[in-house]
Amino acid sequence: LRATALVGVAGVELRWDAVAGAASYDVTITKQAASGSRETFGPYNTVQTYYLALRETIGAGEFDWTVSARNVAGSSAAVAGTVFTLAGEPEPEPEYGLVLTLEEKPDTHPYRKGIPAIRVYGEHENDDSSLRGYTSDFFAFNYILATLKYMELLPLEGERQNMSVQLMVEPLGSGEAKRWPDSDTEYLLDEDGQLVIGINNLGENFGADDVSIRDIPEDPLEPGQYYFWARASWDNEIQSTKERFDIVPLEDPLTGSIVLKDEEGNVYTTQVCPTSTEVTLVYEVSVEGGEWYSELSYEFRIGQQGEDGTVETTESGTFTMATEFSTEVTYATECTKYATLTLNGTGVVYAYDNEEATEITATLRAYDYIVASHSFVLDMADPTATVTVEADVADPEMPASITTATLTFLASDTKCLQPYDENIIFTVYVMKTFENIEDTWGATFTYGEPKIVLGEGAPWGNELTVDATYKASKTTSDNAIITLALDIKDLDVAAIFAGMYVQDCCGDCMLEDPCAGCGIGGYLYHETYAYTALLVDNVFFSKMKVERDGVDSILDLEGFQYAEEGATPTIPATPGAATLTVNFADAFWTSLDWSFIEWAFYNPDGIEFLDEGYLFFEPEIESTETIFATCSGYAEKEQVTFVGTLTADPEDQETETVLTMIATAVDYTGNEFVLNYDFLFDTIAPTLTHFAAFRDQINNESWIEFGFSQKPETATLALTVTASGTFLYDLEDATPISGMDNTYRLETGVTLPYDTVITLGATSTDLAGNVGFATKET
């Protein structure tokens, strides 16, 4: 949405981009409260993408406006455009009978033509006796001479022959004029019909609400842009044109600079860092702005000289307009050096009193101040930094199976350290692969940070925790001792790097009694580094995989029997064998390691079935391959696949027991992984152990109950009834009896006779495939 002023018409064109699907638009215009109301105009409906807002329709002032799109479905939300302004109708030109001219005295820029200005500087309180009775917030270095003439457009008669006028001042853009110097004063034109008056202090109408708080008779006009004009006291239609003048604040009437160079002319700012124990430097000093003053003097102070840094020298002199000089200084001590330039002098200022701008020569004590200063840090030596490692590492060039390490950093400097503002910085990162920097965990922290966690929330749960402690002291030099205690979770070959960056400085340090008397301080570029690295391999990778994904993630079972999900796999009785595949993986092991993997099977009594001839398992290496698991440590893992047939041979012994397979793998660093997994070895078939029969004579119903020595997977049942024959059933026809293991109830569907022996024969199989047959009578 946009608003464009109309040419030759008091109004604006409100325009917007077309909206797809819109049939028309509603324009609503609201006058802002600041313009006198919140009157609303519209909504005006138009099929165009513009609307002409005319002053004759909505008046003058500032307006808000909104547009919404419409079609048969309704209206969109209203969107606001930027505020626009319609100026009011211009007032009729007054009848000018007075001519006013403004002239800058003295002309501060003779070569410049334009708006006259009063140059002021404040705030200032002056004790000079010549200025008593006139105390101002501002000193004025010049004033404006106003000349007013009557043009005799209208004849003056009677008492009006000596015309009196009122003088008016209006801040630019305010639209509000006030009489000057106050609401009561009028001025009388002389016999030639003119008035000449100096303008400097512009009176109480433009001052503070309570001038008594400043104890001054009249409050001056603040710096800004103004109109000045006159009007006849007896006829306001007779007035002059409005003439523009400015009151311009001078931020720094006097300016000075100090430039520091070496003997070759190189410029320095906040630090000088030579390599020698003595340095010669040159100060170049200049002052400008003296045209505002009649007489000036300077004092140039240079501190921190001499062998102990306690010598201070001073240079002084007088000048007019401007001055410049240079001086050479030799420094032999480190720490902060400083120099200051102080100026004072006298000048001509102007005060308005009794219709005159009075010229006064005064000592401007406000300028007894430092107009320029320069400080820098002289640093002629690097700090030192060392690091020591406490960890159970036999060979620093080889990975070590460690979970903790302590790194002790020492930073030292002959002057002082500043262990904040990033002057002592630590970096710790874990390179989890040796090729891809994106697979790195890292952290940078400054002096004082107590705890840092790298890789927090990592999917392998192997983040690194750094607990830091700090100690600072000062003896012959400043020392900072930082201890980083590393808590290392599982890493399958990774490099841990830790470093300290040290930058020294002199000044307001945190250490005890630092750099006494050095000055105000600063930043330096003298710096050094200390770093170390640890190669860590503290876990066999398959252990991490089992802990995260479960033991089944490294096993592949083929031919085993399961009763339900998550149950112990059962070795089948027929054919009496199943295939077991085990995948071991690690980043730091070789064929020498995996050739010694031990395989053993134990029953709950600790009998090793492999040795007793009950079980046979002799796995062979089927393949080796490279797999990747970046976040667990070194990306490349060598995976070895062992495949073997697990064969049960009970040697005519019947047994049913859980056998625990234990396979132990060790990597090159000595990290051990023990695989424990249970299998059910079962050579005992379920048999019939219980049989009973029942009859409900009232309802003429019969049923039997029977039980097995262990849970059968399947069973076929044959019920023989004398004189009635044999009836066949399946286990699915029966219902388990609650609270009694492996016991069932079966509705026979036939009438069982009294006092007659009946027989139940059951052929049953278990999960392993063992088959049992038994009969019972009742």
Side-chain angles (χ1 to χ4, degrees):
L1 283 72
R2 50 211 177 267
T4 305
L6 297 174
V7 178
V9 180
V12 296
E13 179 189 70
L14 306 178
R15 182 172 288 275
W16 53 91
D17 294 336
V19 177
S24 64
Y25 304 90
D26 284 337
V27 182
T28 302
I29 303 172
T30 304
K31 193 172 187 178
Q32 291 191 345
S35 297
S37 73
R38 288 294 293 171
E39 184 178 359
T40 298
F41 303 90
Y44 302 111
N45 185 260
T46 176
V47 296
Q48 308 296 333
T49 57
Y50 63 88
Y51 178 77
L52 301 182
L54 303 177
R55 183 176 65 199
E56 65 183 31
T57 303
I58 63 175
E62 292 186 339
F63 298 87
D64 302 307
W65 60 290
T66 62
V67 179
S68 60
R70 292 182 58 183
N71 61 15
V72 294
S75 298
S76 70
V79 180
T82 57
V83 175
F84 67 87
T85 303
L86 295 180
E89 294 186 14
E91 296 180 359
E93 290 290 334
E95 184 178 1
Y96 294 112
L98 297 169
V99 175
L100 175 67
T101 59
L102 301 181
E103 184 181 2
E104 192 174 306
K105 292 289 187 177
D107 192 347
T108 56
H109 294 85
Y111 57 85
R112 176 186 54 78
K113 302 301 179 182
I115 300 170
I118 302 172
R119 315 287 167 171
V120 298
Y121 183 77
E123 296 181 356
H124 180 68
E125 292 183 1
N126 194 283
D127 295 330
D128 194 286
S129 60
S130 62
L131 291 182
R132 286 175 186 167
Y134 177 80
T135 304
S136 173
D137 286 351
F138 297 95
F139 271 131
F141 289 100
N142 66 332
Y143 67 100
I144 289 177
L145 186 66
T147 303
L148 183 67
K149 290 183 179 182
Y150 178 61
M151 298 302 293
E152 300 183 356
L153 294 176
L154 298 174
L156 299 180
E157 298 176 358
E159 296 179 357
R160 297 180 181 178
Q161 289 180 353
N162 295 325
M163 175 182 281
S164 63
V165 294
Q166 299 170 352
L167 302 181
M168 308 296 295
V169 175
E170 177 185 338
L172 189 66
S174 70
E176 180 182 4
K178 293 184 179 181
R179 288 176 57 183
W180 173 79
D182 53 45
S183 300
D184 301 322
T185 303
E186 295 183 352
Y187 295 89
L188 193 65
L189 301 186
D190 63 17
E191 57 189 17
D192 296 324
Q194 73 174 16
L195 172 67
V196 179
I197 189 168
I199 305 172
N200 176 231
N201 173 40
L202 292 183
E204 64 184 21
N205 272 350
F206 293 91
D209 294 336
D210 183 6
V211 297
S212 63
I213 63 173
R214 300 190 186 183
D215 194 24
I216 57 177
E218 294 178 340
D219 216 19
L221 199 64
E222 297 291 331
Q225 299 173 332
Y226 301 91
Y227 288 121
F228 188 84
W229 78 94
R231 67 187 181 189
S233 301
W234 51 274
D235 188 350
N236 287 346
E237 294 297 324
I238 300 176
Q239 58 180 272
S240 71
T241 57
K242 295 182 179 180
E243 299 296 328
R244 165 80 179 276
F245 75 96
D246 294 340
I247 299 179
V248 180
L250 299 174
E251 293 185 3
D252 291 301
L254 278 169
T255 59
S257 66
I258 303 172
V259 178
L260 182 66
K261 298 182 178 180
D262 62 15
E263 293 178 294
E264 286 74 35
N266 299 312
V267 177
Y268 294 97
T269 54
T270 57
Q271 57 274 323
V272 180
C273 300
T275 56
S276 61
T277 57
E278 187 176 271
V279 62
T280 299
L281 301 173
V282 178
Y283 286 104
E284 293 185 354
V285 184
S286 64
V287 181
E288 296 179 352
E291 65 267 20
W292 300 105
Y293 304 92
S294 57
E295 183 178 326
L296 289 165
S297 63
Y298 71 83
E299 185 177 83
F300 184 56
R301 294 176 179 268
I302 309 170
Q304 290 289 340
Q305 300 178 70
E307 293 184 356
D308 59 357
T310 61
V311 177
E312 179 179 282
T313 60
T314 302
E315 296 183 25
S316 60
T318 60
F319 67 97
T320 58
M321 300 296 289
T323 188
E324 60 182 13
F325 60 90
S326 64
T327 183
E328 186 177 279
V329 179
T330 298
Y331 292 111
T333 59
E334 294 186 311
C335 286
T336 301
K337 312 298 180 182
Y338 62 88
T340 59
L341 176 64
T342 303
L343 300 177
N344 56 61
T346 60
V348 175
V349 298
Y350 293 85
Y352 180 81
D353 188 21
N354 296 327
E355 304 181 12
E356 295 182 2
T358 304
E359 181 179 297
I360 304 170
T361 300
T363 300
L364 304 181
R365 298 183 182 178
Y367 300 109
D368 186 6
Y369 73 115
I370 297 175
V371 295
S373 64
H374 187 283
S375 66
F376 70 95
V377 177
L378 178 62
D379 186 9
M380 295 183 280
D382 287 338
T384 60
T386 60
V387 58
T388 57
V389 179
E390 293 182 31
D392 188 11
V393 177
D395 185 353
E397 296 184 358
M398 295 295 292
S401 182
I402 57 175
T403 56
T404 60
T406 301
L407 313 180
T408 302
F409 289 91
L410 171 63
S412 182
D413 192 70
T414 57
K415 302 178 302 305
C416 69
L417 297 170
Q418 203 168 24
Y420 59 95
D421 286 341
E422 299 184 354
N423 286 333
I424 299 183
I425 300 175
F426 301 91
T427 299
V428 180
Y429 64 94
V430 181
M431 183 176 287
K432 300 171 75 64
T433 69
F434 295 159
E435 296 177 355
N436 190 353
I437 193 65
E438 294 181 356
D439 297 328
T440 299
W441 292 341
T444 298
F445 53 97
T446 56
Y447 187 98
E449 183 123 7
K451 188 171 185 176
I452 301 91
V453 180
L454 279 66
E456 190 169 8
W460 293 90
N462 56 342
E463 66 270 5
L464 175 72
T465 301
V466 182
D467 289 301
T469 55
Y470 305 86
K471 180 181 179 182
S473 66
K474 182 179 179 65
T475 53
T476 57
S477 62
D478 292 332
N479 300 299
I481 301 174
I482 303 91
T483 301
L484 304 182
L486 308 184
D487 179 12
I488 309 167
K489 296 293 178 63
D490 292 345
L491 288 174
D492 183 24
V493 186
I496 300 176
F497 295 90
M500 175 181 66
Y501 159 79
V502 183
Q503 176 178 289
D504 67 5
C505 90
C506 188
D508 185 15
C509 302
M510 291 179 64
L511 305 181
E512 180 183 354
D513 190 27
C515 285
C518 274
I520 62 174
Y523 294 103
L524 300 178
Y525 289 134
H526 273 266
E527 59 192 15
T528 191
Y529 303 86
Y531 63 91
T532 188
L534 291 170
L535 290 176
V536 178
D537 177 33
N538 60 11
V539 67
F540 195 95
F541 173 68
S542 293
K543 176 177 178 291
M544 297 182 70
K545 191 166 179 59
V546 167
E547 290 176 350
R548 190 184 80 160
D549 301 330
V551 69
D552 292 334
S553 63
I554 68 170
L555 296 179
D556 184 11
L557 306 177
E558 183 179 352
F560 291 87
Q561 300 294 330
Y562 293 87
E564 56 188 20
E565 187 69 25
T568 302
T570 300
I571 304 170
T574 303
T579 300
L580 175 61
T581 301
V582 183
N583 296 299
F584 285 116
D586 192 72
F588 200 43
W589 69 326
T590 67
S591 59
L592 294 177
D593 300 313
W594 68 62
S595 62
F596 291 102
I597 292 180
E598 299 177 354
W599 307 88
F601 289 82
Y602 297 92
N603 72 358
D605 297 327
I607 300 174
E608 186 172 354
F609 270 52
L610 284 177
D611 292 341
E612 294 297 323
Y614 292 116
L615 204 63
F616 297 95
F617 182 64
E618 295 180 354
E620 295 183 354
I621 296 175
E622 181 181 76
S623 64
T624 61
E625 62 178 316
T626 298
I627 64 171
F628 294 87
T630 301
C631 289
S632 65
Y634 186 56
E636 294 185 2
K637 319 289 184 185
E638 188 164 15
Q639 178 173 285
V640 182
T641 301
F642 295 87
V643 180
T645 301
L646 196 58
T647 303
D649 183 6
E651 293 187 342
D652 299 328
Q653 300 183 41
E654 291 186 343
T655 183
E656 182 174 353
T657 184
V658 174
L659 304 180
T660 301
M661 179 186 73
I662 299 178
T664 304
V666 182
D667 66 10
Y668 188 79
T669 312
N671 298 302
E672 185 178 81
F673 169 58
V674 179
L675 173 63
N676 286 280
Y677 200 77
D678 291 338
F679 299 91
L680 179 61
F681 181 26
D682 182 8
T683 60
I684 300 176
T687 57
L688 193 63
T689 58
H690 165 69
F691 174 49
F694 303 90
R695 178 177 174 183
D696 181 351
Q697 186 174 357
I698 297 175
N699 296 310
N700 195 28
E701 294 179 352
S702 300
W703 69 91
I704 60 173
E705 293 180 357
F706 55 91
F708 294 94
S709 60
Q710 56 179 290
K711 182 180 179 181
E713 287 297 307
T714 65
T716 58
L717 307 169
L719 178 64
T720 301
V721 180
T722 304
S724 297
T726 299
F727 304 91
L728 301 180
Y729 308 91
D730 287 327
L731 186 62
E732 287 78 3
D733 299 326
T735 302
I737 297 176
S738 176
M740 302 177 66
D741 292 340
N742 308 322
T743 303
Y744 304 85
R745 171 175 170 154
L746 175 65
E747 299 291 340
T748 62
V750 297
T751 301
L752 298 181
Y754 290 116
D755 298 325
T756 302
V757 174
I758 60 176
T759 305
L760 178 65
T763 301
S764 55
T765 61
D766 61 10
L767 186 64
N770 297 299
V771 179
F773 174 76
T775 60
K776 288 286 185 179
E777 293 181 344
T778 187

